[in-house]
Amino acid sequence: MKITVRILAAMSLALAGVASAQPGAPTPRAAPQPKPAPTAPAAEEPPPANVTAPPPVVSAPASPVPIVPLPDPKPAPKAKAAEAKPVEPLKRVRAGSAIVQALDKVTAETLRFEVPVGGSVRYKSLVFTVRACESAAPDETAPESAAYMTVDSSPKPQPGRPTPPTRQVFKGWMFASSPGLNPLQHPVYDAWLIACKAA
């Protein structure tokens, strides 16, 4: 008996749910909400009777902003080079005479002789005149001697024949360490500088 009552109750609940899910079934409406009652406008306050404007405030004139130069991002280098004087090179050593060696290509005879600066020396038909002779300064790396000279071809006069004219066969610097740099060019004789000799 209890089971049948329960079954019937369940069936009635199911039928009620199906009926509410069908289209066209009226849905219950919510009750309309009452409109709020209109409120009366707030009364405005009347302006005060006597209103006085505040006195104007006088401010001091603004002082100009001083312009400060920006520092240079790359400061100029100090002039240390102007303070330090460059080291002057030492002077070359002047000599009083030059030592010259001469060669006769025909007879293969060699002779070494000394020519004073400003003087002349004869070797067979050649006359050597030295104008200057100097050696390297102590601060130079390579020892070097150089002489500025002139060489004249002046054959000796022979009896019964006219004297041939003198002609210059060399003029310039001769270097002891490089005799082939500025050599004497003569068909019979050769000569080169050996060294400079102090007076």
Side-chain angles (χ1 to χ4, degrees):
M1 185 77 172
K2 289 182 181 179
I3 296 173
T4 4
V5 173
R6 286 184 183 174
I7 292 173
L8 287 173
M11 286 177 70
S12 64
L13 285 173
L15 286 174
V18 169
S20 66
Q22 286 181 358
T27 56
R29 291 185 178 178
Q33 302 230 354
K35 291 183 180 179
T39 57
E44 295 183 5
E45 294 183 7
N50 293 328
V51 176
T52 56
V57 178
V58 179
S59 61
S63 61
V65 178
I67 299 173
V68 179
L70 295 175
D72 192 6
K74 293 180 181 178
K78 295 181 180 178
K80 289 184 179 179
E83 296 175 4
K85 293 181 180 178
V87 179
E88 294 183 5
L90 298 176
K91 293 183 178 180
R92 294 175 69 91
V93 180
R94 294 276 179 145
S97 60
I99 300 174
V100 180
Q101 184 162 336
L103 167 68
D104 187 337
K105 298 177 185 178
V106 177
T107 62
E109 177 188 358
T110 60
L111 180 67
R112 185 175 291 188
F113 51 91
E114 184 177 330
V115 183
V117 174
S120 298
V121 171
R122 174 181 283 275
Y123 172 73
K124 297 191 176 183
S125 65
L126 299 180
V127 177
F128 292 84
T129 304
V130 176
R131 304 293 181 190
C133 194
E134 55 187 35
S135 299
D139 61 344
E140 293 184 37
T141 55
E144 176 64 80
S145 295
Y148 186 81
M149 65 177 72
T150 59
V151 180
D152 298 323
S153 176
S154 176
K156 292 180 181 180
Q158 295 181 357
R161 292 187 180 180
T163 305
T166 301
R167 62 186 179 89
Q168 191 176 71
V169 293
F170 179 82
K171 181 181 181 181
W173 288 92
M174 281 191 180
F175 301 93
S177 62
S178 304
L181 187 62
N182 192 18
L184 167 68
Q185 295 178 353
H186 193 273
V188 180
Y189 304 108
D190 196 3
W192 58 92
L193 176 69
I194 298 297
C196 291
K197 184 180 177 181

